[in-house]
Amino acid sequence: ALHVGNKFGQSSKIEFSNLSDKAQPVEIAMMAWGEPSVYPKTRFKLMSTDKLKDAQIIEIDPLNPDVSQRIYHVLRTVHVGFAERGRNILEIEPIETTERALRVTGIVMCGACAEMDRFYLAGEPTMEQAE
């Protein structure tokens, strides 16, 4: 797991490439536990190295949205934006101080999701559309 500081302002960056001609959805997997959360609320900033000024920013509270699950130490997956073709940067910055550092356990760029969107955005496809 990537441990991102438990104090406000201690950020990390991850660089990766999208080799597809299409923007690809990006999800992060992180640990969630406790109420209040032992992990910090965090700002995720996703940007293409060609378009640094067009950053996609989302703030995430790692507190599990399912109240009954907050007693368990679980994995939570959250959509953070879309990676443009070429090099991309995901900047991760805690926006509060907590007991533990945020634990990012995975990053997924879903090419299959982008392909499926052609068929599924307007509803279920027919067999002819799927071929």
Side-chain angles (χ1 to χ4, degrees):
L2 171 66
H3 292 245
V4 180
N6 63 332
K7 294 190 169 80
F8 176 78
Q10 293 178 327
S11 65
S12 292
K13 291 182 183 178
I14 299 170
E15 290 192 36
F16 59 94
S17 292
N18 174 9
L19 303 178
S20 172
D21 290 333
K22 301 176 184 174
Q24 303 289 329
V26 177
E27 312 281 326
I28 60 103
M30 62 186 174
M31 299 306 298
W33 184 29
E35 187 175 7
S37 178
V38 297
Y39 300 117
K41 291 178 183 157
T42 303
R43 180 177 299 121
F44 291 86
K45 185 176 179 181
L46 179 59
M47 62 205 124
S48 164
T49 56
D50 294 335
K51 303 176 185 175
L52 293 175
K53 66 180 189 299
D54 296 332
Q56 303 161 72
I57 300 171
I58 184 171
E59 291 182 0
I60 297 172
D61 184 347
L63 189 62
N64 194 320
D66 183 346
V67 176
S68 68
Q69 296 294 309
R70 291 183 183 168
I71 61 171
Y72 303 108
H73 202 183
V74 297
L75 185 69
R76 181 170 176 214
T77 305
V78 180
H79 176 77
V80 294
F82 289 86
E84 297 294 329
R85 178 173 171 72
R87 298 290 295 162
N88 289 267
I89 299 169
L90 179 62
E91 185 176 295
I92 307 167
E93 180 183 9
I95 53 176
E96 66 180 355
T97 299
T98 55
E99 179 183 331
R100 296 185 182 189
L102 182 72
R103 291 173 59 195
V104 175
T105 58
I107 299 173
V108 176
M109 186 169 56
C110 185
C113 299
E115 281 298 313
M116 289 174 59
D117 281 351
R118 290 187 307 161
F119 303 115
Y120 293 99
L121 285 178
E124 289 297 316
T126 64
M127 291 302 289
E128 294 79 31
Q129 289 172 317
E131 293 175 350

